[in-house]
Amino acid sequence: MRKIDIDELKKLQINILDEVHSCCMRHNINYWLDSGTLLGAIRHNGYIPWDDDIDIGMLRPEYEKFRKVFNQENDRYKFVCAEDDNDYCYAFGKVLDTETILYEPDLQGKKIAVNVDIIIYDNAPDDDKEVAKMYRKRNFYRGCNIARSQKNDTIPGIKRRIAFKILNIVLRPFPKNFFALKMSQNAQKYKDVDTKRVGSFTCYAVFACEKDIFDSFTDHIFEGKDYKIPIGYERWLKTIYGDYMQLPPVHKRVSTHVFEAYMLEK
């Protein structure tokens, strides 16, 4: 194996993004640059300088279309999700570069591959109390998922590590994808209801925002190429980040990810 530096990592991620974009254009699937990737596109025309990943957003119906077609057309790149892989522990999807390996946080941690996240947005109820209830349930399942899948030596404090280890043992009999599927089930509670809002019930954020943000899409530059962003991107970014054009303090301009990535030998 050959270790990948940050510049090569970003090139590999862009290649994955290109494959996702091409697939979506062929099959009329709406996607958008999301989260920090969208913020980077608007504020920097590319990666946030201290960022090192790519996020893509899709509404649930578009995500399901993408899930059905992507792997039929690719050899090197593979879409994975908890619904299709018992060993996959996230409630959102990823597209992997199968010619790479990525460990989080190091060689002793989770083994996956260089990837981009496909974040799912589901119908959110119009009642704020119901939204909060869904997020509490999401957070419970997410906590169980972390305890089931994460090694306890990353937890600070001896007492917390012991408690985490006990919880890990208790939850170990559950399949790796069990709590991810529970999060997905909770997220789709209003799947067949014509709500006005969407939420991020399978990921990390806590908000509900107007669905009409995604009524249409436009092109925007990211690392020298055009990709899709929602027509209501300003409202979307304000919902997630507030004053999104304001740079954070210098001490917060660091990556939150810890990993080691490698190219496989052919």
Side-chain angles (χ1 to χ4, degrees):
M1 295 191 301
R2 175 177 59 80
K3 194 166 186 178
I4 297 169
D5 65 22
I6 188 64
D7 291 333
E8 185 175 9
L9 176 80
K10 290 181 177 181
K11 290 178 181 177
L12 293 169
Q13 290 172 344
I14 291 293
N15 290 342
I16 300 173
L17 175 58
D18 287 341
E19 289 294 322
V20 172
H21 172 81
S22 296
C23 176
C24 289
M25 293 303 98
R26 286 194 300 272
H27 295 280
N28 195 29
I29 297 171
N30 290 320
Y31 82 93
W32 66 88
L33 301 182
D34 196 35
S35 304
T37 307
L38 176 60
L39 176 59
I42 300 303
R43 200 168 65 190
H44 306 279
N45 285 330
Y47 282 91
I48 296 172
W50 51 91
D51 203 3
D52 50 24
D53 70 345
I54 287 179
D55 296 316
I56 295 169
M58 294 182 186
L59 298 178
R60 175 71 66 173
E62 305 299 299
Y63 173 85
E64 292 298 342
K65 287 193 289 183
F66 180 81
R67 174 186 164 200
K68 290 178 181 178
V69 300
F70 185 82
N71 287 341
Q72 298 176 9
E73 303 175 350
N74 268 278
D75 294 323
R76 174 168 178 170
Y77 302 101
K78 179 183 179 182
F79 172 75
V80 291
C81 63
E83 289 80 3
D84 300 331
D85 188 342
N86 293 336
D87 290 328
Y88 184 81
C89 66
Y90 300 99
F92 52 90
K94 289 179 180 284
V95 178
L96 312 179
D97 182 343
T98 62
E99 295 186 5
T100 68
I101 293 179
L102 185 143
Y103 297 94
E104 295 177 318
D106 53 36
L107 294 176
Q108 308 305 314
K110 290 181 186 177
K111 177 182 176 182
I112 189 164
V114 173
N115 64 85
V116 302
D117 292 336
I118 310 293
I119 301 174
I120 316 157
Y121 292 93
D122 288 282
N123 286 351
D126 298 325
D127 184 340
D128 288 340
K129 290 182 179 179
E130 284 299 310
V131 172
K133 183 178 178 180
M134 288 181 68
Y135 275 122
R136 284 195 298 271
K137 201 168 185 179
R138 188 277 309 266
N139 291 343
F140 171 76
Y141 289 136
R142 182 169 172 256
C144 291
N145 199 29
I146 292 171
R148 167 63 181 81
S149 59
Q150 184 172 317
K151 292 193 174 184
N152 73 308
D153 55 7
T154 63
I155 304 299
I158 295 176
K159 291 183 179 180
R160 291 184 65 193
R161 280 201 296 272
I162 293 173
F164 187 91
K165 182 64 176 178
I166 294 171
L167 188 57
N168 180 268
I169 293 171
V170 171
L171 298 177
R172 182 60 57 177
F174 289 95
K176 288 183 179 180
N177 65 341
F178 181 83
F179 294 108
L181 292 177
K182 283 293 186 181
M183 276 190 276
S184 182
Q185 182 182 9
N186 174 60
Q188 297 181 70
K189 182 177 180 180
Y190 289 83
K191 178 180 179 180
D192 298 319
V193 180
D194 187 20
T195 67
K196 298 178 181 179
R197 303 189 294 179
V198 295
S200 177
F201 301 108
T202 59
C203 205
Y204 316 111
V206 178
F207 60 81
C209 198
E210 296 85 356
K211 195 185 298 183
D212 65 1
I213 285 171
F214 309 107
D215 280 351
S216 61
F217 298 85
T218 187
D219 292 334
H220 196 283
I221 196 103
F222 181 85
E223 296 296 328
K225 301 178 184 179
D226 281 336
Y227 301 101
K228 296 300 179 181
I229 66 169
I231 199 70
Y233 72 87
E234 291 180 323
R235 276 190 291 154
W236 189 239
L237 287 173
K238 285 179 181 177
T239 298
I240 302 173
Y241 300 107
D243 184 6
Y244 60 88
M245 293 303 288
Q246 180 68 39
L247 290 173
V250 174
H251 70 276
K252 290 188 176 182
R253 299 178 196 177
V254 294
S255 171
T256 58
H257 307 115
V258 182
F259 58 83
E260 293 183 17
Y262 299 86
M263 290 296 302
L264 294 173
E265 296 180 358
K266 295 184 180 180

